[in-house]
Amino acid sequence: MADIFDVIADGTRRDILQLLRERGASGENGTSVSQIVSALGVSQPTVSKHLKVLREASLVSVREDGQHRYYSLSPAPLDAVDDWLFPFFAVGDEDGATSHALTESAVHAAEVVGRAAASAKHAVTSVFNKLPGR
């Protein structure tokens, strides 16, 4: 599997992830390749190539419906990016010394709450999307 940083280094892949995030947040149950092509103005072969890389990195999931495939964001692999970036968000004091804005216990608590909230949102969204007439 490719390093997550290599995967998200490409601007087109970041655009696809952003689009899938926005559409998922608005209640969409997946986005087709043609919708991605239309929204981003990129060719279908290019979108398909990037979706393959994103699938291999587990950043997107695919749902097949007949001949159509619908893609959704799977943000869990981005936790590694979040964990790596966090130390760079430091606050400097008057003497130029840097310290983290949150204590270690506060960071841990925020991480636990954030992951629980994301997991609960995913579970509720999954159940909601399976309801009849949806």
Side-chain angles (χ1 to χ4, degrees):
M1 181 175 90
D3 180 75
I4 191 72
F5 292 96
D6 290 335
V7 173
I8 63 172
D10 184 274
T12 301
R13 289 194 284 268
R14 288 193 311 272
D15 290 344
I16 292 170
L17 292 173
Q18 180 70 21
L19 176 67
L20 295 178
R21 187 193 63 78
E22 290 168 358
R23 292 181 61 93
S26 69
E28 296 290 329
N29 189 16
T31 303
S32 70
V33 173
S34 61
Q35 289 170 317
I36 297 169
V37 166
S38 176
L40 299 182
V42 181
S43 72
Q44 185 275 325
T46 298
V47 168
S48 293
K49 175 188 82 166
H50 288 298
L51 284 169
K52 179 181 180 197
V53 173
L54 293 170
R55 269 193 327 270
E56 290 173 351
S58 301
L59 282 165
V60 298
S61 60
V62 62
R63 175 179 55 86
E64 294 185 23
D65 186 6
Q67 293 183 352
H68 300 280
R69 288 182 174 83
Y70 296 92
Y71 291 85
S72 298
L73 177 64
S74 300
L78 293 172
D79 288 343
V81 176
D82 189 42
D83 292 344
W84 186 84
L85 284 173
F86 182 77
F88 292 95
F89 293 99
V91 178
D93 64 16
E94 297 166 356
D95 299 325
T98 58
S99 63
H100 293 290
L102 299 175
T103 65
E104 201 170 313
S105 62
V107 169
H108 177 70
E111 181 177 298
V112 169
V113 170
R115 289 181 196 273
S119 178
K121 178 187 180 284
H122 175 71
V124 170
T125 302
S126 295
V127 169
F128 181 72
N129 288 333
K130 292 178 183 175
L131 292 174
R134 180 78 180 119

